[in-house]
Every structure is written in structure tokens, then in C-alpha cells.
Amino acid sequence: MPSKSPSKSSARLAALTVAAVCSAASTVVLTTPAHADADAVRIHDIQGSTRISPYAGQKVTDVTGVVTGIRTYGSSRGFWIQDTAPDADPATSEGVFVFTGSTPKGVAVGDAVKVTGTVSEFVPGGTSSGNQSLTEITKPTVTVVSSGNPLPAPVTVDAESVPDAYTPAGDPAAGGSVNALPLKPSQYALDLYESLEGMTVRVADTRVVGATDPYTELWVTVKPQENPTRRGGTLYGSYDDQNTGRLQIQSLGSTADFPKANVGDTLSGTTAGPLDYNQFGGYTLVASELGTLTSGDVQRETTRKQRNGELAVATYNVENLDPADDTFAAHAAAIVNHLQSPDIVSLEEIQDNNGPTNDGVVAADQTVGKLIDAIVAAGGPRYDWRSVDPADDADGGEPGGNIRQVFLFNPERVSFTDRPGGDATTATEVTKVRGKAALTLSPGRIAPADQAWKNSRKPLAGEFVFRGRTVFVIANHFNSKGGDQGLTSSYQPPARGSEVQRHQQAALVNAFVKDILDTQKNADVIALGDINDFEFSGTAQILERDGALWSAVKSLPRSERYSYVYQGNSQVLDQILVSPSIRRGCDLSYDSVHINAEFHDQISDHDPQVLRFHP
């Protein structure tokens, strides 16, 4: 059988996710010129040399191929077929998914079949998602010609075959879409994967760069030397370096048999199956053959204890913590043992006393009290706490949960300066008291009525005193990246619409910090939390504007700068930013404590961050 160069591919999601994807997705029928020979087409004719089939919306007859995989779960049920007589064009895939809607009957892997049906372009997540489409044959009539046929040899995807360039820029005349551009699989990674859409591909001895998630999927890299982190991940350090070797892995087999992998592990041997495209991960290898999981023995980190003269300040997103959760002991152990009981902890995503029950409750004293008790039980200090309850259902997050930021502080090490009057809607301001900066409300919220905080968490500001020195701390949880187009979007570069609001939020925090510094030039100010954006992002640049703040994660070696793993990219979302007095004169020490994001059994999807310095 003639060989075919790797060049086109497309991916789907996980067993449970597939159902969600397909229920929300749409089939897009595109108008294309009619073909007189539509009843004699081959799979490579259907796939064509762009991302959109030239036969989209048309009926095709007796399309031949061998069944290479069958999906029997979720809403996207059907089977893949592949032509055993490929053409010589590396841009045209030889595989296609046949969508049956229900569990396919009467076909088996190895069957040679003829399929008659309608060619459709299915967009996982719907057209508003910006995702690429998946070429399918729908409403099929299937004839089995023979059984027990040998399967086409899988195409190897590895460091040599995957280009370093990620994608061409989209066509400005088409709104930035790449759909109509000719595929160049030897030049661009996404073009290569698209040119393999529906075909059986294989990877070998691949390092895990995204841990197994609840949907039984994980991420590997076929480029082990591509921006490696110190612990085996793949670092996302620039908008222009998307990491072309990342590939999502799912399984056609039982979810119970799917490996529970951590970052740094290896799928040893061969992993092979059809290449699909899904809503949440783009190109995905749906494995009929899974490699053997080999442990990389990556352990959860423990930071050092702060020294006597050091103030330790941490940020930790505890992921929608409410009293009904079973993770309090684990979070407490993380704070006591892995973070070494910091003096001040900014918690994000503390929910109210009955969590997602949407009944008007906004108080969170039971949630916080249960965590404090758990910390004591784990051998830590009895923290005190401060926060401001939000208005009901006004700050985004899980409906009814009323997430907010909370300060924990160890009263044996640090004191809190209470200035009463702070509430959900009243803004704290900067004033001068005895020649030094002070807050009018502590704890208080920064500009809570500003539209920048609509359906988003308002910053919590407070004054602390450590060894006679005032330290201003601003706890943040900026709006999420929800709604942004993915890296594998059909629009390139993808739109990041969510950052408009984050930029507005960053400008308000930056202005507030500058008010403090204008009042007291040498004030110690810390702005920290789940910034939901990268240290190289426009959001971070606005926070750092005019030198008011500096993101201390940049004090780490590049390979250690991450707090979150998304689609196999280790990246920074959680940050601690400091004012010039802390950066320049306080002998600061920073640690991103990797205890969650790299592990399949995580209790939060974020890694906490710890800053130590001498005020």
C-alpha cells in the first residue's frame, strides 16, 4: 500500500464531555458548487485540501473505506472509515467520521464498507465558539462488503513530523478565518493535524503534560524538548509559542481502564487511534490502543517555612469551597504542610454557607470557620479572618454560591487594622493618617459600583501590621477567560474577548495602588490572587503600569513560572504583585507551590503562590 505523508487531522473530547459537546454543537451546511461525480468520490475528495469539504451539504454515494474505530458512547456516536488507496496529496485526509447518532449496528472494525450519506461540517460547541469544524458523513446508509480486513497502518506523529510553526494567520477578508486557506501540513502544526482528520495516527513514548481529568482525557507532548518545565510539563510563555507538540488523548475503551496520569508521567509504547476534533481540546487522538502508564514520580511540593523576620503572604484558589465539600481536611493540610502556614492567606472562591443553593444567603462564616478548624486540626495556627460579603448573585461564579475573597491571618504573627463600614457596595478610599497612607475602610472593596466588576469579584483591600510596619494587601479574582476562542480556533489569531474586562479591572487596581503610593511613596503594597491572566499578558502590563506593581512570579526561573495547567500548557494565572519598596529592598522570595495543577487527584485546579519578604 502506498504511504501517505502526515498532514491533516481533527479531534474530539472525552466520554462524558462528548455528550455535553454534541448537545451544544451544531452541524453547519455550507453551500458549495455541485459536483457531477458526487456519486464516485473518495474520502480524500470529501476532505479536500482546506478545512471545509468541497462536498459540504451534498449527498455522496458508495464512499469506500475500512472501519478503523467505533464510538459507542455519548451523543457523537458513529464510526471512522479510512481509504486503503490514498492519493499523493499530503493535504487531503484519507479518513472520515460517519455519524450515526446512536450506537452503530452491523459494522465492526476491519469491515470494508460502502457509505452513502450527506457530507456535513460539524462545529463542536456551535459556530459562536469559533471552533474548527469536523467533516462528517451523516444520515448514512452502510453496506458491508467484507470483514476481517487489515487496517491501514497508522501515521506516526512525532517531533520530526510536527512543524514548529503553529498556524497561518487567518484571511482578513474572511474575518480572520483559516477555513478556506490551502492546508500546508509541512509548514504548520494545525494544518498537519487537520490533514490527518479521521485517520488512524500513533504516538510513542509520550510524556504527559496534562493530568487525567474527570472526563477521562489527558494531554501528551510529542516534542519532549519543547519548552519543558522543571517537572515535566510544557510551559506556555508567549502568545506566539503555543506548543505545537501537545495532543489530547481519549480512549474508545472503558473509562475505568483509562490511566490516571500526572504531569511528568509517560505513556510508554504505542498509543494509536483515529484523530478527532472536539470542543474543549481541539485535535484529539481517540485511542483504540493505549500505551502503558509509567510514573514520573512527580511529588507535591513543600515550600520552606518563613524565617522569624519574614512576612509570608500567600494566595490560594480553593475552587468553590462550601460547607458541604469533603476537601476541608485536604485544603488545611495543604496550607499547614505544603505552604508552611503563611502569615496571611488570600483565599479565592470561598462560597457562602450553603454553597450553590440559591436562596439569598451570602454570609460565609460557616465556610471559613470550618476551614480554620480544619487548619487547627492539621497542626496549624488558629487563623483570624476578614472579608466583605457580596451582594447576592452579583459577583459571578457558580449561581447561588456567591464566591468571594477572604483574608486569613495568623494573629500571633500579624495584626489587622479594622476600619469599619465596608460592605458590598461602598468603596474604600486612600487617605492620610499621621503622614502615612491609610484606607478609609478596612476591609473594604475597590470601586465596587464600577462596571468593570459587573458579574465579577470585587477586590478586597485591607491593612495589616507586621512588626510595626503597615502592609496593604489587595485580594483579587479577575473575570475568567470564558468565551475566549481556543488556540485551535478557526480564527487566527484567536479572539480573547474576555480580556477587555480584565484590562478594565487591572486599570482600577493599578490606580488604587498609585493612590497609596502617591500618599506614601515607600508604602508596602501587595496585589495578589487569581488574576486569570498570564504574567506576559496585557492585564499584567496594566497592573504594572508606571512601576506601581511588579509580578514577583518573574523572579522565578522561566521553567517554574506556572500555577495552572490547561490543555497541556503549564501557565500562570495566579500572581502576587508587589510595590517598589518590596521589590527593591525587602529580599523577597517567591514560590509557586505545585500541589494541584499537575495531579489527577487535585483538590483545586490552581497551585497556591507564596511570597516571603522582610518589611
Side-chain angles (χ1 to χ4, degrees):
M1 183 183 74
S3 63
K4 183 176 181 69
S5 304
S7 156
K8 173 170 181 183
S9 89
S10 211
R12 289 236 17 122
L13 189 73
L16 296 179
T17 307
V18 165
V21 167
C22 293
S23 63
S26 65
T27 296
V28 180
V29 177
L30 301 173
T31 302
T32 56
H35 289 258
D37 59 345
D39 59 343
V41 298
R42 308 295 288 261
I43 293 174
H44 47 251
D45 299 319
I46 293 171
Q47 288 285 10
S49 58
T50 71
R51 285 172 168 80
I52 302 298
S53 171
Y55 290 88
Q58 298 181 42
K59 185 175 181 179
V60 290
T61 302
D62 290 343
V63 179
T64 60
V66 171
V67 177
T68 57
I70 301 174
R71 181 157 52 206
T72 60
Y73 55 77
S75 297
S76 185
R77 303 184 188 197
F79 56 94
W80 287 269
I81 60 174
Q82 187 166 329
D83 199 325
T84 57
D87 66 7
D89 186 352
T92 57
S93 172
E94 301 297 339
V96 71
F97 185 68
V98 180
F99 175 75
T100 59
S102 59
T103 301
K105 299 182 185 302
V107 295
V109 172
D111 284 353
V113 296
K114 291 183 178 181
V115 178
T116 296
T118 301
V119 177
S120 297
E121 290 291 339
F122 170 80
V123 182
T127 55
S128 63
S129 70
N131 285 328
Q132 295 188 42
S133 62
L134 181 67
T135 303
E136 299 179 337
I137 299 177
T138 63
K139 303 175 182 177
T141 299
V142 181
T143 301
V144 176
V145 177
S146 63
S147 299
N149 296 282
L151 301 183
V155 176
T156 297
V157 176
D158 57 17
E160 293 184 3
S161 63
V162 179
D164 292 333
Y166 193 63
T167 178
D171 181 1
S177 172
V178 297
N179 283 342
L181 299 180
L183 295 176
K184 299 179 179 179
S186 64
Q187 296 184 34
Y188 300 108
L190 291 191
D191 285 10
L192 168 66
Y193 293 135
E194 177 64 19
S195 74
L196 296 171
E197 176 184 294
M199 293 178 65
T200 299
V201 301
R202 70 178 291 273
V203 297
D205 299 324
T206 50
R207 193 176 73 243
V208 175
V209 294
T212 304
D213 66 17
Y215 306 105
T216 56
E217 59 198 14
L218 58 82
W219 288 77
V220 299
T221 180
V222 300
K223 291 186 171 184
Q225 301 307 312
E226 184 176 55
N227 299 318
T229 69
R230 183 174 58 86
R231 291 162 56 86
T234 297
L235 189 75
Y236 183 59
S238 165
Y239 289 127
D240 298 323
D241 196 352
Q242 301 93 335
N243 294 313
T244 61
R246 295 173 301 111
L247 195 61
Q248 187 170 232
I249 306 293
Q250 295 173 358
S251 176
L252 285 175
S254 168
T255 57
D257 297 330
F258 196 78
K260 294 178 172 60
N262 298 326
V263 170
D265 292 348
T266 298
L267 278 184
S268 301
T270 293
T271 296
L275 195 61
D276 197 21
Y277 186 95
N278 67 58
Q279 178 180 1
F280 299 109
Y283 296 101
T284 302
L285 193 164
V286 187
S288 55
E289 178 183 3
L290 270 169
T292 302
L293 185 66
T294 302
S295 174
D297 198 31
V298 173
Q299 302 295 312
R300 287 177 163 85
E301 290 187 329
T302 296
T303 196
R304 70 167 175 82
K305 183 74 175 176
Q306 64 269 31
R307 301 185 180 96
N308 191 42
E310 286 182 314
L311 178 66
V313 182
T315 177
Y316 186 19
N317 184 320
V318 291
E319 195 173 2
N320 289 322
L321 188 66
D322 76 76
D325 290 339
D326 62 1
T327 55
F328 281 89
H331 283 305
I335 291 170
V336 174
N337 300 324
H338 294 282
L339 304 188
Q340 297 289 297
S341 302
D343 302 310
I344 301 170
V345 183
S346 167
L347 299 172
E348 296 85 49
E349 294 198 18
I350 289 287
Q351 292 199 343
D352 63 34
N353 290 334
N354 59 14
T357 301
N358 199 353
D359 59 358
V361 170
V362 295
D365 54 300
Q366 295 174 30
T367 310
V368 180
K370 189 172 181 179
L371 179 59
I372 290 173
D373 289 345
I375 289 171
V376 173
R382 179 162 291 280
Y383 283 100
D384 203 347
W385 67 285
R386 297 290 187 276
S387 188
V388 173
D389 290 338
D392 189 36
D393 286 337
D395 284 13
E398 185 178 22
N402 291 311
I403 55 174
R404 83 290 310 274
Q405 298 89 270
V406 171
F407 291 131
L408 298 185
F409 63 95
N410 182 355
E412 296 182 1
R413 292 265 300 168
V414 66
S415 63
F416 190 86
T417 302
D418 287 294
R419 301 186 191 276
D423 59 27
T425 58
T426 304
T428 187
E429 306 287 351
V430 179
T431 188
K432 183 176 286 189
V433 175
R434 292 186 292 276
K436 293 186 177 181
L439 303 181
T440 57
L441 306 171
S442 175
R445 307 179 103 191
I446 296 174
D450 195 285
Q451 284 298 297
W453 309 112
K454 184 177 181 180
N455 295 320
S456 185
R457 283 67 55 190
K458 288 70 175 171
L460 177 70
E463 280 185 47
F464 294 86
V465 176
F466 178 74
R467 294 194 161 199
R469 174 85 174 178
T470 294
V471 179
F472 298 92
V473 182
I474 303 168
N476 303 276
H477 185 185
F478 286 3
N479 76 298
S480 78
K481 291 182 173 293
D484 286 0
Q485 293 173 351
L487 292 181
T488 61
S489 170
S490 62
Y491 298 94
Q492 295 293 337
R496 301 188 297 271
S498 70
E499 69 182 12
V500 173
Q501 187 176 7
R502 279 195 303 281
H503 289 179
Q504 295 168 348
Q505 294 173 344
L508 289 173
V509 172
N510 173 267
F512 190 83
V513 172
K514 285 194 285 192
D515 284 347
I516 296 174
L517 298 179
D518 288 344
T519 305
Q520 182 186 339
K521 183 178 181 180
N522 67 340
D524 291 340
V525 186
I526 298 172
L528 78 174
D530 181 358
I531 303 301
N532 262 321
D533 226 335
F534 317 118
E535 80 281 14
F536 56 82
S537 67
T539 303
Q541 292 170 12
I542 293 169
L543 283 167
E544 294 178 326
R545 186 180 289 163
D546 300 324
L549 292 167
W550 177 72
S551 185
V553 72
K554 293 188 287 190
S555 67
L556 294 175
R558 188 173 180 272
S559 65
E560 297 180 29
R561 296 180 192 174
Y562 60 95
S563 68
Y564 195 84
V565 179
Y566 182 68
Q567 296 183 353
N569 272 332
S570 296
Q571 56 196 242
V572 168
L573 291 185
D574 307 84
Q575 301 188 45
I576 301 178
L577 299 99
V578 299
S579 61
S581 62
I582 298 175
R583 179 185 181 186
R584 296 169 185 166
C586 295
D587 190 24
L588 68 82
S589 170
Y590 192 92
D591 197 358
S592 183
V593 189
H594 304 304
I595 62 173
N596 285 319
E598 297 170 317
F599 298 92
H600 75 271
D601 56 349
Q602 57 189 227
I603 55 174
S604 168
D605 46 1
H606 293 253
D607 286 333
Q609 314 291 292
V610 178
L611 172 78
R612 294 172 291 263
F613 68 102
H614 293 84

